[in-house]
Amino acid sequence: MHKQNILENKLKKHFNYTFFRVGQKEIISDIMQGKDVLGILPTGSGKSICYQLPAMLLEGVTIVVSPLISLMIDQVKQLKAINYKSVVALNSFMDPMERRRVYRQLHTYKLIYVSPELLQHETLLKALEKIKISLFVIDEAHCISQWGHEFRPDYLKLDATIERFNYPTTLALSATATKHVQTDIINALHKPHISKQIYPMDRANIAFNVQEVQDDQEKIRTITNLLKQYQVPVLIYFSSRKMAENVAVLLSEKVPEKRIAFYHGGMEQMDRIAIQQQFMNDQLDIICCTSAFGMGINKNNIRLIIHYHFPLQIESFIQEIGRAGRDGRESVSLLLMSPNDIHLPVQIIKNELPSENQLIFVFKQLANLYHGEVRLPTQDKQIENLFEINETQWRFLHYQFEKHDMIVQHKIFYQAEQWSEAYQKIKALIKQRSILKEQKLTEMLDWIQQKKCLRHHLYKNFQSNYTDPTAQCCSNCGFSWSAWQPEQTDIERLNATNWEEKLKHLLLIGESNESK
Amino acid sequence: MLLKGMILTCSSHIQAERTISSIYHLLKGRKSIQTVQDAHIYQLEKFYGVYKSLSKKTFDQNVLELENKQFLQKNASDDLQFKITTAGKGWLNEHKDNLPLNYFNGLKYADTAKCFFERLILLIQTITNSRKNHYSFIPVIDKIAIEDWVRMIYRQAKGSEMQLLKKIYAELYRLLQHFTAQEANIFVDRLTGYKQYGMSLEQLATSYKRETSDIQLLLTGILQAMVAIIQKDIKQYSFLSFTLKDLSPSNSITNSAYATFELLNKGHTVEQIAHIRNLKGNTIQDHIVEIALYDATFPIHSYVSAQAQQEIITAIQQTKSYKLKQIKQYISEEINYFQIRLVLAINHNILQAGDTNA
């Protein structure tokens, strides 16, 4: 008991929270006792506290492997903003000079975020071996599973990394892992005795709506009506950057009184921060975005999440709607489905894996390079151009080529028999992965077409039960918009029209109590 | 529109003596000797590196649109080279008041202006937040060098934030008088303060009904013009000139060329340097041409005799061209391309003065 109070005091001291949320204390207590933990906590439940607090308390360094660079950078910013300074994010986009400087001082950090790709670099591994690693965290641990929705080949090498660091306490975290994926994580890490801290992911304060519409025009009409009716923070998800941009422009014309912007991974870093923060600050009401938005966003009053396009798997959907209503207040998810939408995901899935023709072409190009005694280009972009494939496809093939000893670093090793065997294996794997992705898609579509309770069927693969909804349940159990009356957010508009006034306001000129 | 204006202006200077992608490299600020040399001989220094994030796709698309409008025309002998048409010149002339091309000074200020703006943005965000006792904000600029500089100013200004903010206001107010109201508005809307984050490029584009590329270029131009104004009048802009003080004008000589330069100074020959650095002789020659561009005391006579120099200059004047191939046809056979390039590099200022084509 006494010990647990200590943890709460530390939480207050470092993060200014007075109590732990569900699961946090259990996971942290396990870690502090040196136990390996598999933690499955729902989106928005404060997963990161589970390692950020131990990192402060443990002697030595905590390493966090995270697949998303933007997420890493966001977390580092948020930590620095609350004065948690000894933290750094290592990724391949860092300036080389800056990276060398950081490598020399690794021991001075408490928390080091690193991408799985970079964690395979010998220079970094050597530098990390020299320091005391007290906690090794695998964030988004479902990426380790071939059956997970976001398989990342580099995650499979993490067990070797843990061994190299002499088995530090390990924490594998995820928000969305089916039982099957949980087993995969445990097996891939060779940790059969890991402490399992698995918490339900259902969200009692979110009501689910699926609405069938005829076409895009009807989607726009529906959204326009909702936006006119409610003054609340809204996220609208799209499957393509272009559509997010176009609809943002269209909605701005239809609902000029609302402040609408778009956000996707193709924007400049400074602009991405600006849009995120404008939304956090209630300078923006509505964001049209791709799945790139929302990771690590701590806005607790998002009230409405609209899916203009449905995601390719239930797991993504659960994560995206999980950004609504983190303050526990009644919030709504609305998925719009038109007959044409069915064709979109097929193309997206195709683009994620190389086709058979592409595979043949890549093998041919690779053999040409070998016979011309040329190494692989050093830049991924050049390789992608050479092989005429995209980034995701190359990441997949790169791992396969390494696994089959066809390339080591950038050098190509040719052996006719071995290559033809590898070709067959890769071809079979692609087939297998495509089938899996199609299964995931079918699951999602089944859910959308579900006639019975949407809540029940959304979570059935993850947990056996769910909490009763705090307000309305779902469109199949009966949902009425008129019964949803969320508190309207204040809208503070700057009325300055000329730059002189705007500049004055920005620089706080002419405010009362100016003489400081 | 601004990008198109730039492409047309560049084409009118280059007169199809270079391929169209040389303009792309110029705008991107490619650190190659060829690109830097092009910037000098065609008097396009001002556009060097003004659009570093320009994609080839956007560029090609703009060229295609200009071609479709018949403002640009493919060269009969080489379809990678383009000429500006009479209609193109007419368009440029018609829109010259809306195209602030004279704001730009890329070769000199591209890096300075960028750094100046990043410092200013982060400083304003930091000082306004500090004034409001709000210390947990997400900084919009994420660069250690910029953060260090802002931290230094912040320490000095702590407790007297309002004084600094007033000073910044007064100087920005004066500075923005040099620009149109719309330009000043775009600049101010991009800034971030206390609980008020600046607009993204896309938001500015929507808000001012311009293309995103125009907004990006316009901001770059405004900033480069600002740096020039501040440096001309440092008394009026005591604080803003301080933010610039330690930023030297871009030194475009590449690092590799600099290593060659040091070896040359130690008295090594081209062959020796190539051997020492394990590089091709041609590469070392490229470096020497680059050095010749920047080094006023470059000993040209060690590479080209006075007579050969004169021969090359005469050939340039006769052919009215900077094309190496054409020049080569007019001169003695024993003079090589390397020597022509060196003479071009040394004389770019003189040649331009007498050149009516440019």
Side-chain angles (χ1 to χ4, degrees):
Chain A
M1 203 56 213
H2 174 65
K3 210 171 190 177
Q4 288 176 343
N5 280 335
I6 293 180
L7 281 183
E8 261 131 16
N9 290 340
K10 297 286 184 193
L11 181 72
K12 173 81 185 152
K13 181 180 164 204
H14 294 293
F15 295 92
N16 203 22
Y17 295 134
T18 36
F19 55 89
F20 285 105
R21 295 214 223 164
V22 177
Q24 287 176 338
K25 191 150 88 178
E26 291 79 357
I27 292 176
I28 294 172
S29 301
D30 273 358
I31 292 171
M32 296 309 290
Q33 289 169 44
K35 289 188 198 160
D36 296 328
V37 184
L38 171 65
I40 311 288
L41 287 176
T43 309
S45 58
K47 275 193 306 241
S48 42
I49 292 288
C50 295
Y51 54 81
Q52 285 169 352
L53 183 61
M56 294 299 286
L57 305 179
L58 292 164
E59 200 189 314
V61 177
T62 292
I63 292 179
V64 183
V65 185
S66 174
L68 282 160
I69 289 167
S70 57
L71 177 74
M72 263 193 244
I73 294 171
D74 283 350
Q75 294 230 340
V76 170
K77 285 204 166 94
Q78 283 163 14
L79 286 170
K80 284 191 171 166
I82 59 163
N83 231 356
Y84 192 133
K85 304 282 182 195
S86 44
V87 49
V88 69
L90 302 177
N91 58 65
S92 30
F93 291 111
M94 269 175 106
D95 171 64
M97 282 256 285
E98 170 68 7
R99 187 152 62 179
R100 275 196 292 276
R101 189 184 68 80
V102 172
Y103 279 16
R104 278 196 300 272
Q105 327 177 336
L106 286 174
H107 62 280
T108 63
Y109 296 99
K110 290 304 287 176
L111 190 54
I112 299 175
Y113 285 88
V114 62
S115 65
E117 292 78 21
L118 202 63
L119 199 53
Q120 298 308 321
H121 283 199
E122 205 43 45
T123 354
L124 178 61
L125 285 169
K126 284 222 173 83
L128 286 173
E129 271 175 336
K130 287 186 201 141
I131 61 176
K132 181 179 163 57
I133 296 166
S134 40
L135 178 60
F136 189 84
V137 183
I138 304 168
D139 202 8
E140 313 292 337
H142 53 265
C143 295
I144 215 168
S145 166
Q146 303 244 20
W147 310 110
H149 56 294
E150 292 168 324
F151 174 53
R152 295 282 291 241
D154 280 307
Y155 263 61
L156 283 175
K157 301 171 185 162
L158 292 179
D159 63 322
T161 314
I162 291 172
E163 189 185 337
R164 244 185 111 159
F165 294 157
N166 207 13
Y167 303 102
T169 305
T170 301
L171 166 65
L173 274 177
S174 174
T176 44
T178 56
K179 286 169 197 132
H180 192 162
V181 171
Q182 292 169 20
T183 315
D184 271 8
I185 297 171
I186 295 168
N187 291 342
L189 294 175
H190 308 297
K191 291 195 182 289
H193 304 299
I194 199 163
S195 160
K196 288 180 220 160
Q197 298 283 359
I198 292 156
Y199 293 87
M201 55 181 52
D202 64 297
R203 296 284 307 275
N205 63 325
I206 299 176
F208 297 97
N209 278 280
V210 172
Q211 188 179 331
E212 280 179 37
V213 294
Q214 278 311 305
D215 48 25
D216 277 26
Q217 275 97 358
E218 199 183 334
K219 285 187 183 176
I220 298 289
R221 269 204 306 278
T222 309
I223 296 174
T224 307
N225 287 338
L226 285 174
L227 297 186
K228 282 189 173 154
Q229 207 175 331
Y230 295 104
Q231 174 59 41
V232 292
V234 182
L235 285 182
I236 309 178
Y237 277 99
F238 295 82
S239 64
S240 88
R241 292 173 179 179
K242 196 78 216 151
M243 279 300 281
E245 288 188 15
N246 292 346
V247 174
V249 172
L250 196 62
L251 289 176
S252 307
E253 286 164 12
K254 302 229 177 219
V255 205
E257 66 274 23
K258 293 290 158 72
R259 299 158 304 176
I260 304 172
F262 63 82
Y263 178 103
H264 57 64
M267 289 159 55
E268 270 197 28
Q269 168 86 352
M270 186 168 141
D271 289 342
R272 288 213 304 236
I273 300 175
I275 298 293
Q276 266 186 18
Q277 293 306 317
Q278 287 174 15
F279 189 56
M280 294 287 290
N281 256 328
D282 294 328
Q283 269 176 266
L284 278 173
D285 307 305
I286 295 131
I287 296 199
C288 296
C289 60
T290 62
S291 58
F293 186 82
M295 309 272 178
I297 281 284
N298 275 326
K299 190 173 174 64
N300 64 7
N301 64 343
I302 301 176
R303 285 284 161 262
L304 175 60
I305 306 240
I306 299 175
H307 279 87
Y308 190 97
H309 297 128
F310 62 86
L312 301 186
Q313 59 257 317
I314 299 264
E315 284 90 339
S316 310
F317 183 72
I318 291 177
Q319 289 213 345
E320 286 162 10
I321 59 111
R323 303 199 167 105
R326 291 194 176 171
D327 54 6
R329 297 199 192 166
E330 196 186 344
S331 304
V332 173
S333 147
L334 169 65
L335 185 148
L336 295 171
M337 176 79 185
S338 83
N340 279 330
D341 290 349
I342 209 85
H343 306 298
L344 262 166
V346 180
Q347 195 53 43
I348 299 172
I349 289 179
K350 264 192 193 149
N351 288 336
E352 283 182 355
L353 289 163
S355 68
E356 193 170 340
N357 284 338
Q358 282 175 316
L359 190 65
I360 296 172
F361 181 72
V362 173
F363 265 77
K364 213 157 90 191
Q365 290 287 73
L366 206 58
N368 285 343
L369 287 181
Y370 173 81
H371 293 300
E373 292 177 22
V374 188
R375 282 166 162 249
L376 270 184
T378 47
Q379 300 285 321
D380 282 349
K381 199 89 219 128
Q382 291 171 295
I383 299 178
E384 287 152 32
N385 286 337
L386 180 72
F387 292 155
E388 298 174 18
I389 53 179
N390 66 36
E391 191 189 338
T392 322
Q393 292 168 334
W394 170 239
R395 203 163 54 208
F396 172 83
L397 285 179
H398 188 201
Y399 173 73
Q400 292 302 323
F401 291 158
E402 280 189 351
K403 188 173 144 192
H404 293 290
D405 297 322
M406 295 167 58
I407 56 177
V408 175
Q409 303 289 358
H410 290 276
K411 205 162 183 266
I412 302 163
F413 293 89
Y414 181 75
Q415 213 209 341
E417 234 173 84
Q418 192 189 339
W419 276 37
S420 85
E421 197 182 309
Y423 172 78
Q424 291 305 332
K425 280 191 180 155
I426 296 171
K427 195 172 98 177
L429 183 66
I430 290 173
K431 185 115 195 252
Q432 200 185 30
R433 299 273 315 146
S434 305
I435 292 170
L436 173 80
K437 281 179 188 287
E438 275 157 30
Q439 279 171 357
K440 292 265 170 213
L441 178 60
T442 312
E443 258 177 43
M444 185 73 224
L445 286 169
D446 283 351
W447 181 79
I448 293 171
Q449 282 148 8
Q450 185 57 244
K451 295 280 176 277
K452 291 181 189 152
C453 176
L454 290 170
R455 178 180 307 274
H456 171 75
H457 284 277
L458 185 63
Y459 297 116
K460 67 181 173 193
N461 284 331
F462 301 92
Q463 57 200 61
S464 47
N465 224 328
Y466 62 87
T467 319
D468 286 338
T470 51
Q472 305 193 65
C473 178
C474 69
S475 47
N476 289 350
C477 294
F479 177 88
S480 112
W481 286 102
S482 57
W484 184 52
Q485 293 301 339
E487 189 187 333
Q488 310 285 293
T489 44
D490 287 340
I491 175 162
E492 192 190 324
R493 265 178 201 277
L494 179 58
N495 287 320
T497 45
N498 60 32
W499 65 264
E500 291 93 338
E501 288 305 312
K502 282 191 269 189
L503 188 61
K504 258 190 193 164
H505 183 266
L506 180 90
L507 295 173
L508 313 172
I509 309 285
E511 286 199 347
S512 54
N513 190 22
E514 210 179 70
S515 57
K516 183 177 167 181
Chain B
M1 178 166 151
L2 201 42
L3 179 58
K4 290 195 173 75
M6 275 187 186
I7 296 173
L8 284 178
T9 309
C10 290
S11 305
S12 82
H13 283 220
I14 289 177
Q15 286 296 339
E17 288 187 358
R18 295 281 187 271
T19 63
I20 193 79
S21 44
S22 69
I23 298 176
Y24 174 69
H25 295 317
L26 179 87
L27 299 177
K28 288 269 289 184
R30 183 179 174 185
K31 286 206 168 146
S32 87
I33 289 144
Q34 182 69 54
T35 303
V36 175
Q37 196 173 9
D38 281 352
H40 284 294
I41 57 184
Y42 296 109
Q43 286 186 304
L44 292 169
E45 293 98 334
K46 59 180 182 237
F47 296 149
Y48 180 84
V50 294
Y51 200 163
K52 293 201 166 129
S53 61
L54 178 62
S55 73
K56 191 77 171 62
K57 205 172 131 201
T58 309
F59 178 79
D60 288 344
Q61 201 184 324
N62 276 278
V63 171
L64 188 69
E65 282 167 33
L66 288 170
E67 204 191 342
N68 289 341
K69 285 186 186 153
Q70 299 185 326
F71 292 165
L72 277 182
Q73 192 185 352
K74 270 185 185 142
N75 212 355
S77 59
D78 184 342
D79 66 1
L80 292 175
Q81 299 179 338
F82 288 77
K83 247 190 195 139
I84 183 168
T85 62
T86 317
K89 281 182 187 157
W91 184 87
L92 262 186
N93 207 30
E94 190 184 320
H95 291 93
K96 67 170 187 270
D97 292 339
N98 296 322
L99 292 171
L101 299 175
N102 57 332
Y103 283 2
F104 293 87
N105 200 341
L107 192 66
K108 198 168 173 193
Y109 290 141
D111 296 339
T112 308
K114 186 160 180 271
C115 190
F116 165 68
F117 197 37
E118 290 176 342
R119 284 178 173 185
L120 192 64
I121 285 179
L122 188 59
L123 184 72
I124 290 175
Q125 188 186 13
T126 308
I127 301 294
T128 51
N129 275 285
S130 160
R131 168 82 178 99
K132 290 288 196 177
N133 295 318
H134 181 254
Y135 297 102
S136 57
F137 60 92
I138 304 279
V140 276
I141 305 288
D142 185 21
K143 289 185 183 162
I144 302 250
I146 305 290
E147 279 174 24
D148 286 346
W149 184 87
V150 169
R151 197 169 294 127
M152 174 189 85
I153 305 293
Y154 167 72
R155 285 205 189 105
Q156 295 167 10
K158 186 106 185 66
S160 56
E161 286 93 345
M162 219 46 240
Q163 225 172 308
L164 178 58
L165 289 172
K166 279 181 180 163
K167 186 139 189 72
I168 295 175
Y169 176 75
E171 292 190 16
L172 281 181
Y173 182 84
R174 173 173 291 133
L175 188 56
L176 286 165
Q177 303 298 329
H178 292 266
F179 298 88
T180 68
Q182 193 188 57
E183 288 161 359
N185 269 302
I186 291 173
F187 178 85
V188 174
D189 284 344
R190 184 77 167 149
L191 299 172
T192 286
Y194 167 69
K195 295 214 166 172
Q196 183 189 335
Y197 279 81
M199 285 194 190
S200 71
L201 294 175
E202 284 84 2
Q203 285 177 314
L204 288 170
T206 315
S207 176
Y208 292 94
K209 299 191 170 45
R210 316 254 319 231
E211 292 166 54
T212 311
S213 65
D214 259 21
I215 293 288
Q216 176 139 33
L217 273 174
L218 187 57
L219 270 169
T220 304
I222 293 169
L223 286 162
Q224 293 182 359
M226 281 182 166
V227 171
I229 296 165
I230 295 166
Q231 288 194 335
K232 238 187 254 158
D233 200 354
I234 50 175
K235 275 198 201 114
Q236 296 271 32
Y237 300 103
S238 60
F239 182 75
L240 294 178
S241 65
F242 175 76
T243 67
L244 289 172
K245 207 175 77 183
D246 56 324
L247 302 173
S248 52
S250 319
N251 181 3
S252 294
I253 194 159
T254 56
N255 287 334
S256 185
Y258 190 73
T260 296
F261 178 67
E262 288 188 312
L263 290 168
L264 273 177
N265 284 347
K266 285 183 187 156
H268 294 289
T269 66
V270 173
E271 291 75 21
Q272 284 169 336
I273 297 172
H275 182 72
I276 295 169
R277 303 200 55 204
N278 198 14
L279 290 170
K280 288 193 179 132
N282 281 338
T283 309
I284 303 300
Q285 288 185 349
D286 282 348
H287 291 167
I288 295 174
V289 174
E290 188 177 344
I291 294 159
L293 267 173
Y294 290 101
D295 184 1
T297 63
F298 184 81
I300 180 89
H301 51 270
S302 327
Y303 301 91
V304 197
S305 71
Q307 193 194 342
Q309 283 184 51
Q310 195 47 56
E311 219 178 300
I312 295 167
I313 291 171
T314 313
I316 296 167
Q317 283 160 350
Q318 279 174 356
T319 60
K320 292 202 168 60
S321 166
Y322 298 127
K323 275 191 153 178
L324 300 182
K325 242 185 206 157
Q326 280 188 29
I327 298 168
K328 182 91 166 89
Q329 284 167 353
Y330 273 79
I331 54 177
S332 321
E333 227 173 279
E334 63 272 14
I335 303 177
N336 62 31
Y337 283 112
F338 173 52
Q339 290 171 313
I340 303 172
R341 289 174 62 202
L342 276 179
V343 172
L344 276 172
I346 293 293
N347 296 293
H348 67 269
N349 289 324
I350 308 163
L351 289 170
Q352 273 163 0
D355 184 10
T356 47
N357 263 349

